[in-house]
Amino acid sequence: MGLFILRRVGVMLLTALCLTFIVFFLTNLYPNLEKLAKTQGNMRMTDEQVDSWLSERGYLDPLPVKYGRWLGVVPGWTFEDPDDGKVRGRCIEPGMDPAEAPRYCGILQGDWGFSTVFKDEVGTVTANRLALTGKLMFWVMVLMVPSALLIGVLAGMREGSKLDRSLSTFSIASTATPEYVSGVIFITLLASSSGVKWFKGTATSAADNATFENFFLPVLTIALYGVGYIARMTRASMTEVMTAQYIRTARLKGVSFRNIVLKHALRNALIAPFTVIMLQFPWLLNGVVIVETLFNYKGFGWTLVQAAGNNDIELLLACSVAAVFVVLVTQLISDIGYVFLNPRIRIA
Amino acid sequence: MEPLTWTGSLSVLNPIFLGLWALLGVSVLAQIVTSFFGTEVDVVGDQLVVKKTPNALAGMAVKYSFIGAVLITLAYLVGGILIPGLEAKGIIGIMATRFLPVWIALAVTFALSITFKRKLGLYGKLFDSVVGMIGFAIVMFWVFTAIFGAMDFIVTHDPLSQISGLKNKVPGTAVPDGNDVYPYYLLGGDNLARDVFSRMVKGSWEVIKIAPFATLFAFMVGITLGLPAAYYGGKLDTILTFLANLILAFPVILLFYLLVTPEIVATGIPVYMAAVLFIFPIIFMVILINSRFYVQPAKRNIYLAFVLVIGLWLYAGIAWNADPFGIIEFPPNLLVVFVSVVFVNSPTVFRIVRGIALDIKTRDYVAAGQTRGEGPWYIMLWEILPNARGPLIVDFCLRIGYTTILLGTLGFFGLGLSPESPDWGSTINDGRKLLSIFPHPALAPALSLMSLVLGLNLLADGLREESLRD
């Protein structure tokens, strides 16, 4: 077990390195850098000015060197201004004596860089936004998991019944409705002048003060897309369990239907959905980006969009590290949890 | 001119229609609640008879109110087509009339398919399942709408032309006098005073022309890589699985934001990606033919030459935009969208194919093929692949739906397609800024997208049921 986790963590680190390198490569292509220089400096810069702006800031060095700097295994760039003789550098904070500045400053030293969009340390920006998205995710899970399991179990306990048909139709409809469609419909029906005005169409204020009025619609929108999928998996697993031999034995012994479902079937039926719920996290991340943009909730997804739209390289890298981390950790948890839930599986 | 009403002179049916829907909702709830109580049995003579329960009563109410609602909906559509005069037709009637070519095409398709369903294999079996038929009808409705819409049959206005005074107007608004065009905006105007109905119809073409082909390409890539990974195993499998997981670990939206930008298009990276990804279908076809016909060189050479000429011609045109005859061209904007969607989808297909192939390769008929001395590619493509077709076809339908959602996402973030493009995602994105005041411009494409994906999901469900019956 220990070796298994160790190997998985090793693969995880390798994946994270590869992915950040790809993001690094794509954001450091010359047209992207040119755009960055023009948005940060001056829209009317000539090509030579763009070049000097970029080379002063170390953007034109070879890719592996830049990537090494970001990681913190290559010394940061320094540049001596020919006009006033001041030395600027990646590791030199404003007002710091260049001689005292550390040579290395990358993520290994805990320095995530400086966001060019938010004019703040990337570490603090990402942490704040992740906390906000964590709040959103928490309520999504609170709403989504119990309702999905309930729908799945109710539909699966009597396969082919009317209840099964109607709940299955609902699950299919919910998986067919992407967030940007359900969000639009909800806002139209529940938060606009043409429907009823029970909720607010924007969740910006929910960042500081989340109430039912401003936070329910985004949560519902994300949850709805996931509910159908988890419910269908639960239903499939429940119907499989309900046809098992031991359920038939229990029936023949005269155990009541309620007891069969609650005591015999339910626990065995919930193993498969656990994995599915864990693997839903990456999808939720996708939904989070859409919903946060739609409802203007300034969390992680919204930040990702801002960073990508403005080619904020270091923020984008931090975002991708966070996203990759979420994806891989949930995969790991789902594998380990599966072993605990299903004692028949052993991993050497 | 007066604005149109929704149902025109058929509005007498409206109260009955609403009443039936209310009854349907109540009786469905009642049925679910009563289903928790068991049934009781009576002994009549020497027979056991199930008592009439509230549940059965609710079931009947559901059945009849549903049939009634469907009949009235049909009456709206058919009546709308038959009643003369635009005002009398109402918005729904006019739309039904505009969709007339689609209805005819649908009727012909269904009549032909149901007549010959026993000779059509899995496709024919689809018409044994009600769910599958409903799904197929919805999907084909949008396919025909896209095709006829692209031929300018259904649309009422040019999707890009603006008429002043119709900005954000509600559905059924009349076009001001002096404009020599169709006299109404059926589904209202958007925030640039363009016709929502025409844009919705034109938008379906944008979706239908990309989603199925992108999915098909993703399947070719996934199959060509997934089969050998499962069959040979070892290092090849490890490397390919790692690469697939690598792409899957990427948040899709981040990938789109990085790939689908004008800056990336300028560097030419999409062209190289297209060059790599689009070579797979050709490899697939070549191996497919070669493994089957290599014992008949004459036949093989003809087939191979045919595939290579057509394939490389399309390849040069689509991937490199260098068609020697200048017939095929692929705008770089569209190419980057296409490539990204294929790129995102193929690892999932790879995993599915690999999983199924790992299972099938342990079967006896594969061992028998190996004993007969069949080559590895023959076994993969002609023994394993046909036996994996059931799950793959089902996943293909689901994946077209997912690709449609992805394309909508791209449009929603304003990536890739030009801002004026009428595709559904971009239109939803345009409409969302004024959503709480003028919801109709975003609502029409949103509902269209939802119904198309729903249709694809139902179709996949029907196919799954029928393919399991084999």
Side-chain angles (χ1 to χ4, degrees), chain B residues 191-205:
Chain B
N191 63 345
L192 289 173
R194 298 170 298 195
D195 182 34
V196 173
F197 175 74
S198 305
R199 286 180 71 74
M200 180 191 83
V201 172
K202 282 281 183 190
S204 63
W205 175 241

PDB file of all heavy atoms in Angstrom, chain B residues 191-205:
ATOM      1  N   ASN B 191     -29.408  42.008 -29.145  1.00  0.00           N
ATOM      2  CA  ASN B 191     -28.956  43.347 -28.758  1.00  0.00           C
ATOM      3  C   ASN B 191     -28.297  44.109 -29.898  1.00  0.00           C
ATOM      4  O   ASN B 191     -27.936  45.258 -29.751  1.00  0.00           O
ATOM      5  CB  ASN B 191     -28.031  43.278 -27.537  1.00  0.00           C
ATOM      6  CG  ASN B 191     -26.768  42.515 -27.833  1.00  0.00           C
ATOM      7  OD1 ASN B 191     -26.693  41.804 -28.839  1.00  0.00           O
ATOM      8  ND2 ASN B 191     -25.774  42.657 -26.989  1.00  0.00           N
ATOM      9  N   LEU B 192     -28.124  43.449 -31.057  1.00  0.00           N
ATOM     10  CA  LEU B 192     -27.661  44.182 -32.233  1.00  0.00           C
ATOM     11  C   LEU B 192     -28.769  44.244 -33.293  1.00  0.00           C
ATOM     12  O   LEU B 192     -28.495  44.419 -34.474  1.00  0.00           O
ATOM     13  CB  LEU B 192     -26.406  43.538 -32.817  1.00  0.00           C
ATOM     14  CG  LEU B 192     -25.154  43.712 -31.980  1.00  0.00           C
ATOM     15  CD1 LEU B 192     -24.011  42.909 -32.553  1.00  0.00           C
ATOM     16  CD2 LEU B 192     -24.772  45.181 -31.903  1.00  0.00           C
ATOM     17  N   ALA B 193     -30.034  44.005 -32.846  1.00  0.00           N
ATOM     18  CA  ALA B 193     -31.203  44.110 -33.721  1.00  0.00           C
ATOM     19  C   ALA B 193     -31.165  43.113 -34.866  1.00  0.00           C
ATOM     20  O   ALA B 193     -31.588  43.394 -35.976  1.00  0.00           O
ATOM     21  CB  ALA B 193     -31.366  45.532 -34.261  1.00  0.00           C
ATOM     22  N   ARG B 194     -30.615  41.916 -34.599  1.00  0.00           N
ATOM     23  CA  ARG B 194     -30.644  40.855 -35.595  1.00  0.00           C
ATOM     24  C   ARG B 194     -31.726  39.846 -35.216  1.00  0.00           C
ATOM     25  O   ARG B 194     -32.133  39.768 -34.054  1.00  0.00           O
ATOM     26  CB  ARG B 194     -29.273  40.162 -35.662  1.00  0.00           C
ATOM     27  CG  ARG B 194     -28.171  41.106 -36.080  1.00  0.00           C
ATOM     28  CD  ARG B 194     -26.817  40.478 -35.916  1.00  0.00           C
ATOM     29  NE  ARG B 194     -26.540  40.136 -34.520  1.00  0.00           N
ATOM     30  CZ  ARG B 194     -25.332  39.850 -34.056  1.00  0.00           C
ATOM     31  NH1 ARG B 194     -24.314  39.855 -34.858  1.00  0.00           N
ATOM     32  NH2 ARG B 194     -25.149  39.548 -32.790  1.00  0.00           N
ATOM     33  N   ASP B 195     -32.174  39.055 -36.202  1.00  0.00           N
ATOM     34  CA  ASP B 195     -33.296  38.149 -35.967  1.00  0.00           C
ATOM     35  C   ASP B 195     -32.824  36.912 -35.205  1.00  0.00           C
ATOM     36  O   ASP B 195     -31.965  36.166 -35.687  1.00  0.00           O
ATOM     37  CB  ASP B 195     -33.899  37.747 -37.317  1.00  0.00           C
ATOM     38  CG  ASP B 195     -35.094  36.849 -37.133  1.00  0.00           C
ATOM     39  OD1 ASP B 195     -35.815  37.035 -36.139  1.00  0.00           O
ATOM     40  OD2 ASP B 195     -35.312  35.965 -37.974  1.00  0.00           O
ATOM     41  N   VAL B 196     -33.408  36.678 -34.027  1.00  0.00           N
ATOM     42  CA  VAL B 196     -32.983  35.556 -33.182  1.00  0.00           C
ATOM     43  C   VAL B 196     -33.299  34.221 -33.844  1.00  0.00           C
ATOM     44  O   VAL B 196     -32.493  33.289 -33.821  1.00  0.00           O
ATOM     45  CB  VAL B 196     -33.658  35.659 -31.800  1.00  0.00           C
ATOM     46  CG1 VAL B 196     -33.381  34.423 -30.977  1.00  0.00           C
ATOM     47  CG2 VAL B 196     -33.173  36.883 -31.065  1.00  0.00           C
ATOM     48  N   PHE B 197     -34.481  34.135 -34.470  1.00  0.00           N
ATOM     49  CA  PHE B 197     -34.896  32.872 -35.095  1.00  0.00           C
ATOM     50  C   PHE B 197     -33.912  32.451 -36.188  1.00  0.00           C
ATOM     51  O   PHE B 197     -33.433  31.319 -36.213  1.00  0.00           O
ATOM     52  CB  PHE B 197     -36.307  33.039 -35.674  1.00  0.00           C
ATOM     53  CG  PHE B 197     -36.803  31.846 -36.435  1.00  0.00           C
ATOM     54  CD1 PHE B 197     -37.191  30.698 -35.765  1.00  0.00           C
ATOM     55  CD2 PHE B 197     -36.874  31.868 -37.814  1.00  0.00           C
ATOM     56  CE1 PHE B 197     -37.649  29.599 -36.456  1.00  0.00           C
ATOM     57  CE2 PHE B 197     -37.332  30.757 -38.515  1.00  0.00           C
ATOM     58  CZ  PHE B 197     -37.716  29.626 -37.834  1.00  0.00           C
ATOM     59  N   SER B 198     -33.577  33.378 -37.082  1.00  0.00           N
ATOM     60  CA  SER B 198     -32.670  33.033 -38.174  1.00  0.00           C
ATOM     61  C   SER B 198     -31.292  32.665 -37.656  1.00  0.00           C
ATOM     62  O   SER B 198     -30.652  31.751 -38.177  1.00  0.00           O
ATOM     63  CB  SER B 198     -32.545  34.204 -39.147  1.00  0.00           C
ATOM     64  OG  SER B 198     -33.804  34.587 -39.590  1.00  0.00           O
ATOM     65  N   ARG B 199     -30.862  33.370 -36.606  1.00  0.00           N
ATOM     66  CA  ARG B 199     -29.547  33.061 -36.044  1.00  0.00           C
ATOM     67  C   ARG B 199     -29.536  31.684 -35.400  1.00  0.00           C
ATOM     68  O   ARG B 199     -28.554  30.952 -35.505  1.00  0.00           O
ATOM     69  CB  ARG B 199     -29.140  34.122 -35.034  1.00  0.00           C
ATOM     70  CG  ARG B 199     -28.721  35.423 -35.679  1.00  0.00           C
ATOM     71  CD  ARG B 199     -28.338  36.453 -34.650  1.00  0.00           C
ATOM     72  NE  ARG B 199     -27.076  36.155 -33.978  1.00  0.00           N
ATOM     73  CZ  ARG B 199     -25.890  36.300 -34.533  1.00  0.00           C
ATOM     74  NH1 ARG B 199     -25.799  36.729 -35.770  1.00  0.00           N
ATOM     75  NH2 ARG B 199     -24.798  36.034 -33.857  1.00  0.00           N
ATOM     76  N   MET B 200     -30.664  31.334 -34.766  1.00  0.00           N
ATOM     77  CA  MET B 200     -30.744  30.015 -34.145  1.00  0.00           C
ATOM     78  C   MET B 200     -30.636  28.927 -35.209  1.00  0.00           C
ATOM     79  O   MET B 200     -29.897  27.949 -35.058  1.00  0.00           O
ATOM     80  CB  MET B 200     -32.056  29.897 -33.383  1.00  0.00           C
ATOM     81  CG  MET B 200     -32.263  28.586 -32.695  1.00  0.00           C
ATOM     82  SD  MET B 200     -33.941  28.450 -32.102  1.00  0.00           S
ATOM     83  CE  MET B 200     -34.786  27.909 -33.561  1.00  0.00           C
ATOM     84  N   VAL B 201     -31.374  29.113 -36.314  1.00  0.00           N
ATOM     85  CA  VAL B 201     -31.363  28.108 -37.383  1.00  0.00           C
ATOM     86  C   VAL B 201     -29.981  28.020 -38.023  1.00  0.00           C
ATOM     87  O   VAL B 201     -29.431  26.943 -38.234  1.00  0.00           O
ATOM     88  CB  VAL B 201     -32.439  28.437 -38.433  1.00  0.00           C
ATOM     89  CG1 VAL B 201     -32.308  27.524 -39.631  1.00  0.00           C
ATOM     90  CG2 VAL B 201     -33.812  28.300 -37.826  1.00  0.00           C
ATOM     91  N   LYS B 202     -29.386  29.179 -38.299  1.00  0.00           N
ATOM     92  CA  LYS B 202     -28.046  29.180 -38.899  1.00  0.00           C
ATOM     93  C   LYS B 202     -27.024  28.588 -37.946  1.00  0.00           C
ATOM     94  O   LYS B 202     -26.058  27.947 -38.371  1.00  0.00           O
ATOM     95  CB  LYS B 202     -27.640  30.617 -39.261  1.00  0.00           C
ATOM     96  CG  LYS B 202     -28.278  31.122 -40.543  1.00  0.00           C
ATOM     97  CD  LYS B 202     -27.572  30.582 -41.763  1.00  0.00           C
ATOM     98  CE  LYS B 202     -28.182  31.147 -43.024  1.00  0.00           C
ATOM     99  NZ  LYS B 202     -27.685  30.475 -44.226  1.00  0.00           N
ATOM    100  N   GLY B 203     -27.239  28.843 -36.643  1.00  0.00           N
ATOM    101  CA  GLY B 203     -26.293  28.343 -35.646  1.00  0.00           C
ATOM    102  C   GLY B 203     -26.247  26.826 -35.612  1.00  0.00           C
ATOM    103  O   GLY B 203     -25.202  26.250 -35.328  1.00  0.00           O
ATOM    104  N   SER B 204     -27.386  26.175 -35.916  1.00  0.00           N
ATOM    105  CA  SER B 204     -27.386  24.716 -35.872  1.00  0.00           C
ATOM    106  C   SER B 204     -26.399  24.165 -36.903  1.00  0.00           C
ATOM    107  O   SER B 204     -25.751  23.156 -36.670  1.00  0.00           O
ATOM    108  CB  SER B 204     -28.787  24.179 -36.130  1.00  0.00           C
ATOM    109  OG  SER B 204     -29.204  24.532 -37.416  1.00  0.00           O
ATOM    110  N   TRP B 205     -26.241  24.851 -38.024  1.00  0.00           N
ATOM    111  CA  TRP B 205     -25.282  24.409 -39.043  1.00  0.00           C
ATOM    112  C   TRP B 205     -23.861  24.477 -38.506  1.00  0.00           C
ATOM    113  O   TRP B 205     -23.050  23.592 -38.743  1.00  0.00           O
ATOM    114  CB  TRP B 205     -25.452  25.247 -40.305  1.00  0.00           C
ATOM    115  CG  TRP B 205     -24.450  24.964 -41.378  1.00  0.00           C
ATOM    116  CD1 TRP B 205     -23.562  25.832 -41.910  1.00  0.00           C
ATOM    117  CD2 TRP B 205     -24.242  23.721 -42.066  1.00  0.00           C
ATOM    118  NE1 TRP B 205     -22.810  25.219 -42.873  1.00  0.00           N
ATOM    119  CE2 TRP B 205     -23.209  23.914 -42.985  1.00  0.00           C
ATOM    120  CE3 TRP B 205     -24.826  22.462 -41.969  1.00  0.00           C
ATOM    121  CZ2 TRP B 205     -22.744  22.910 -43.818  1.00  0.00           C
ATOM    122  CZ3 TRP B 205     -24.359  21.458 -42.798  1.00  0.00           C
ATOM    123  CH2 TRP B 205     -23.341  21.686 -43.706  1.00  0.00           C
TER     124      TRP B 205
END
